[in-house]
Amino acid sequence: MTTEETAVPAGEPTIGRPGAYAKGMARRRQILDRAIEVFRERGADGTSLRRIAEAIGVSHAALRHYFDSLEQLLVAVYEHSETARHEDPDSLEPTSAVDVMVTSAVQNLEVPGLVQLYSTLVAASLESRSTEAREYFTRRFETVRTSLVERVREEQEAGDLRGDVDAARIAALLIAASDGLQIQWLLEPSIDLEGTLSEFHTLLRP
Amino acid sequence: MTTEETAVPAGEPTIGRPGAYAKGMARRRQILDRAIEVFRERGADGTSLRRIAEAIGVSHAALRHYFDSLEQLLVAVYEHSETARHEDPDSLEPTSAVDVMVTSAVQNLEVPGLVQLYSTLVAASLESRSTEAREYFTRRFETVRTSLVERVREEQEAGDLRGDVDAARIAALLIAASDGLQIQWLLEPSIDLEGTLSEFHTLLRP
């Protein structure tokens, strides 16, 4: 398998041919599936598009056909892994805002490489030269906060969650605590991530 | 001012001369003071030792004399800026564990470049090739947690903080929430960082 920079290899779909789009999407998805496995094992350590191409066994040119930059690939890997998780029939349907965060954080413990990738991409998103990561994470935080605020409000209205706190602030705090704790856990694995996040059950009890 | 890679320039102290160590430390501190100003304004965007040397107006060789790597310089800049803050006589003496985190986070709002630097270094510390950042942040999280746990316990014993939660877990949660919220705030400055973190006052009330 060559990693030389060449023209798009034979067999790689190009735009304009009938069915090329669907085939291209399928091929892109295959590449992402394999890239996720690589990140599960290794994280985002010292990666380049060339090294990722080698690791997943496609040519550098093929990878460049689907992803313009390393950042674009990393964002796609992260997004694809999150989508794959939500499609998993074994994933539990959490019942409360706290459970949503605890379940998601506990699932992440199984894939430290993706927690590290998340941290690398969030850091990249804060740099002004970043565009892909900044857009993705700004939108992602907004989406997660919005869905969590709604859940907190419903629980407050049902009397399952204390009413003397602001739903939007609690949603932002839950996400922040989960993100921050995963980093502490990566550096100090003796931290009880599930137990620590679960203290929110006590803190938010009516 | 040259940025060429040359021998240590005349005037830069070297080890072994009497008084060289003290002079070296003073010069190192001067460089860090200037580097902090650069990071306050620009963050850690696309930096290299060479670019930082240019920005602070010293030769690349002089900078390399004090810092082996970009990572070592960045950790030193972050550490130095934290020390400088704690030496500031105007910095308030916070009265509770929550206030410690709120005060510190609010101070960070004034220096977004350092929040970004923190995020970049934490991400670097999770990469296995990292040594400086990993050691620094593993130790730093441990130190901050230990001091915060003590404060939470004292407040619990004094009846100022609810007794039905675990002090160590609350300390880790407070740090995590503060770290995570600063990132959300950098991406979405309309977030009320102080108000959101202050919800912990309500959550932790006895």
Side-chain angles (χ1 to χ4, degrees):
Chain A
M1 183 73 55
T2 177
T3 56
E4 291 304 300
E5 188 124 19
T6 56
V8 176
E12 294 299 333
T14 52
I15 295 162
R17 247 184 297 143
Y21 182 75
K23 274 191 204 160
M25 288 300 281
R27 178 76 178 125
R28 186 177 182 275
R29 197 181 164 113
Q30 271 179 356
I31 289 177
L32 283 178
D33 279 332
R34 290 162 83 177
I36 286 175
E37 290 310 311
V38 171
F39 283 106
R40 273 181 199 270
E41 289 161 23
R42 311 187 192 180
D45 266 44
T47 40
S48 66
L49 276 183
R50 191 173 293 277
R51 281 199 209 168
I52 293 169
E54 271 174 51
I56 67 182
V58 301
S59 73
H60 183 210
L63 198 57
R64 296 266 316 199
H65 179 67
Y66 296 102
F67 304 100
D68 292 335
S69 64
L70 176 62
E71 190 185 359
Q72 195 178 90
L73 169 66
L74 295 182
V75 169
V77 164
Y78 187 77
E79 195 165 17
H80 186 59
S81 72
E82 282 221 310
T83 310
R85 176 189 293 175
H86 292 139
E87 284 168 1
D88 179 2
D90 292 336
S91 72
L92 298 166
E93 181 61 44
T95 50
S96 72
V98 174
D99 282 332
V100 170
M101 297 317 291
V102 173
T103 304
S104 156
V106 168
Q107 284 177 338
N108 285 346
L109 299 194
E110 291 162 30
V111 277
L114 285 179
V115 178
Q116 193 212 313
L117 177 61
Y118 176 80
S119 166
T120 299
L121 285 173
V122 167
S125 77
L126 304 180
E127 297 187 6
S128 58
R129 63 184 165 161
S130 149
T131 49
E132 298 284 342
R134 172 173 286 261
E135 275 169 31
Y136 176 71
F137 282 100
T138 304
R139 200 174 54 237
R140 183 182 176 278
F141 277 121
E142 184 61 33
T143 308
V144 179
R145 276 192 304 257
T146 303
S147 105
L148 216 54
V149 170
E150 213 165 291
R151 218 180 263 258
V152 169
R153 282 219 183 95
E154 281 168 15
E155 289 176 66
Q156 283 180 319
E157 279 160 23
D160 295 330
L161 196 149
R162 61 193 296 166
D164 60 348
V165 286
D166 180 79
R169 289 177 175 177
I170 294 302
L173 270 191
L174 286 172
I175 298 161
S178 174
D179 284 359
L181 259 189
Q182 288 176 57
I183 286 167
Q184 289 184 50
W185 168 80
L186 271 182
L187 290 173
E188 182 53 69
S190 69
I191 285 179
D192 174 7
L193 183 70
E194 186 171 5
T196 303
L197 273 182
S198 296
E199 285 286 13
F200 271 112
H201 282 302
T202 307
L203 297 177
L204 292 171
R205 200 175 290 149
Chain B
M1 182 75 53
T2 176
T3 55
E4 292 303 300
E5 190 127 17
T6 56
V8 176
E12 293 301 329
T14 53
I15 294 162
R17 246 184 296 140
Y21 181 74
K23 273 191 206 162
M25 289 299 283
R27 179 77 177 124
R28 186 175 181 276
R29 197 181 163 113
Q30 272 179 356
I31 289 177
L32 284 177
D33 280 332
R34 288 162 84 176
I36 286 175
E37 291 310 310
V38 171
F39 284 106
R40 273 180 198 271
E41 288 161 23
R42 308 189 193 179
D45 265 45
T47 41
S48 65
L49 276 185
R50 192 174 293 276
R51 278 198 213 170
I52 292 168
E54 269 173 53
I56 66 180
V58 301
S59 73
H60 183 212
L63 199 57
R64 297 265 319 195
H65 179 66
Y66 296 101
F67 304 99
D68 292 338
S69 65
L70 177 61
E71 191 186 359
Q72 197 180 86
L73 170 67
L74 295 182
V75 169
V77 164
Y78 187 76
E79 195 166 19
H80 185 60
S81 72
E82 281 220 311
T83 310
R85 176 190 293 176
H86 292 139
E87 283 169 359
D88 180 0
D90 292 336
S91 72
L92 296 167
E93 181 60 45
T95 51
S96 73
V98 174
D99 283 331
V100 169
M101 298 318 290
V102 173
T103 304
S104 158
V106 168
Q107 284 179 337
N108 285 347
L109 299 194
E110 291 162 30
V111 277
L114 285 177
V115 178
Q116 194 213 314
L117 176 60
Y118 176 81
S119 167
T120 299
L121 284 173
V122 166
S125 76
L126 304 179
E127 298 187 5
S128 57
R129 62 182 166 160
S130 149
T131 50
E132 299 282 342
R134 174 173 284 262
E135 276 169 31
Y136 177 71
F137 282 100
T138 304
R139 200 172 59 236
R140 184 183 175 278
F141 277 122
E142 182 61 34
T143 308
V144 178
R145 275 193 304 259
T146 305
S147 104
L148 215 55
V149 171
E150 214 166 291
R151 218 179 263 259
V152 169
R153 282 217 184 96
E154 281 169 14
E155 288 176 65
Q156 283 181 317
E157 280 159 22
D160 295 332
L161 196 147
R162 62 194 297 166
D164 60 348
V165 286
D166 180 79
R169 288 176 176 177
I170 295 303
L173 270 191
L174 285 173
I175 297 162
S178 173
D179 284 358
L181 260 189
Q182 288 176 56
I183 286 167
Q184 289 184 49
W185 169 80
L186 271 182
L187 289 173
E188 183 52 68
S190 70
I191 284 179
D192 175 6
L193 183 70
E194 184 170 6
T196 304
L197 274 182
S198 297
E199 285 286 13
F200 270 113
H201 281 302
T202 306
L203 297 176
L204 292 170
R205 201 174 288 150

